[in-house]
């Protein structure tokens, strides 16, 4: 049962359909990736996959959370990702000493444009998944989101290094079993992922603060579906704290 952030409004059927279409297209592109042998074609396919995946996340966030979802996924998280990557590859913090090789297409300030989109494309579904898993201690949602993004990079970084998208200039100390990728990189992913997750977490909190009756019913249904009356009262107390006094 989905117990994540409640939608701000019923999404239009067309928006939902477009989201599913983009999601299926993303899966198809990922299946095609290992079937392509040329490095340049693989890089182009990776960039296209990122754009399509990003659009799928953006459409879903906008359909279910309207302007807040669009701003968070379409602007705030990509801006945070770009800033982190810009600082990262020029100073070595927070990820480590690395360099982009120009294989991922156009760049902005030395950062490939698709990289900030990649942060947003994965941060949003990771947040939705974390919101579904964590039903009580909601402060854990951004933590689990950041952990999921870091875990994703266990797979992503070695693949991109092998592709030649970027190069690590310093690799020690690295993670056992993942040679050539410094430990600082994963710590950086957790830190930046946590920042992005807190921005997404603001969607749910902002919508609850509005005092929307539909959202209250959503939270009550979540509570009644779990531990009954006690959890219902717990959520009602949370709503009374978050809702501003009129």
């Amino acid at each position: 049962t989905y117990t994540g952030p409640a939608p701000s409004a019923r999404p239009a059927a067309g928006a939902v359909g477009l989201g599913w279409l983009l999601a299926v297209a993303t899966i198809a592109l990922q299946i095609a990736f290992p079937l392509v042998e040329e490095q340049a074609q693989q890089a182009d396919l990776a960039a296209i996959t990122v754009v399509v995946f990003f659009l799928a996340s953006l459409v879903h966030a906008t359909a279910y959370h309207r302007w807040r979802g669009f701003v968070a996924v379409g602007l705030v998280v990509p801006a945070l990702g770009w800033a982190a990557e810009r600082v990262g590859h020029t100073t070595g913090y927070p990820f480590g000493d690395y360099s982009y090789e120009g294989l991922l297409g156009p760049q902005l300030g030395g950062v490939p444009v698709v990289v900030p989109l990649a942060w947003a494309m994965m941060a949003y579904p990771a947040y939705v998944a974390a919101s579904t898993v964590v039903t009580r201690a909601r402060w854990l949602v951004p933590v689990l989101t950041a952990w999921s993004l870091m875990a994703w990079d266990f797979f992503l970084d070695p693949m991109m290094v092998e592709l030649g998208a970027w190069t690590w200039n310093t690799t020690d100390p690295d993670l056992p079993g993942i040679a050539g990728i410094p430990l600082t990189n994963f710590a950086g992913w957790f830190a930046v992922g946590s920042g992005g997750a807190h921005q997404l977490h603001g969607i749910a909190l902002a919508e609850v603060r509005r005092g929307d009756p539909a959202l209250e019913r959503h939270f009550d249904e979540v509570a009644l579906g779990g531990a009954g009356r006690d959890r219902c009262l717990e959520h009602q107390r949370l709503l009374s704290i978050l809702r501003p006094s009129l």
Side-chain angles (χ1 to χ4, degrees), residues 26 31 54 57 99 126 183 224 227:
T26 300
I31 292 174
F54 166 75
S57 294
S99 305
L183 279 171
L224 291 171

Side-chain angles (χ1 to χ4, degrees), residues 84-85 88 92-98 119 142-161 166 168 170-195:
E85 296 287 346
Y93 298 97
F95 306 105
D97 187 6
Y98 66 102
W119 276 99
V143 177
L144 183 57
T145 302
W147 183 268
S148 300
L149 286 170
M150 181 186 68
W152 176 54
D153 194 53
F154 290 166
F155 150 80
L156 175 70
D157 227 278
M159 184 182 74
M160 290 292 102
V161 169
W166 57 76
W168 287 101
T170 303
T171 60
D172 293 325
D174 56 13
L175 190 68
I178 308 180
I181 313 296
L183 279 171
T184 52
N185 175 59
F186 302 113
W189 267 81
F190 184 85
V192 177
S194 179

Side-chain angles (χ1 to χ4, degrees), residues 98-118:
Y98 66 102
S99 305
Y100 286 111
E101 300 300 326
L103 200 63
L104 294 178
Q107 298 186 356
L108 178 63
V111 178
V113 174
V114 297
V115 171
L117 301 185

Side-chain angles (χ1 to χ4, degrees), residues 62-82:
T62 305
Y64 283 89
H65 303 284
R66 300 302 170 91
W67 68 268
R68 285 188 177 89
F70 179 85
V71 170
V73 177
L75 299 175
V76 176
V77 177
L80 176 64
W82 179 86

